[in-house]
Amino acid sequence: MKNILIAMIRFYQKFLSPLKHTRCPYTPTCSQYGLEAIQKYGAVKGSLLACWRILRCNPFSKGGYDPVP
C-alpha cells in the first residue's frame, strides 16, 4: 500500500503539478510533505498527516516552513 501511495504522489508531482497555475504556500510543498510522511510513518499515519496538511493548505493560510514531525 505504501508503495502505491508513493507512486501516486510521484505521478502527481511529475505530470499534474506542473499544470497548476498556483503554488503551494508551504515549504516543503504539500505533495513532498505527503511523500515524506508516508515514507517515515507508513501508509495509514502518513496519509492522515498528508490529508491534514492538504486541508490546511488554502488561499487564506500564511504558509511557511512546515516539516514532517
Side-chain angles (χ1 to χ4, degrees):
M1 185 67 168
K2 178 179 170 179
N3 292 332
I4 293 170
L5 292 171
I6 290 172
M8 289 171 52
I9 292 172
R10 290 216 169 116
F11 175 84
Y12 169 80
Q13 287 177 330
K14 187 171 184 175
F15 296 108
L16 300 178
S17 182
L19 299 175
K20 289 178 36 182
H21 297 286
T22 60
R23 298 280 180 211
C24 182
Y26 288 104
T27 301
T29 63
C30 293
S31 60
Q32 186 63 35
Y33 182 94
L35 189 66
E36 292 174 14
I38 291 169
Q39 288 173 338
K40 185 173 182 179
Y41 293 109
V44 176
K45 185 174 180 180
S47 294
L48 291 173
L49 285 169
C51 287
W52 177 243
R53 168 69 176 272
I54 291 169
L55 288 173
R56 291 181 297 156
C57 188
N58 60 63
F60 304 109
S61 68
K62 290 182 182 179
Y65 183 65
D66 183 29
V68 175

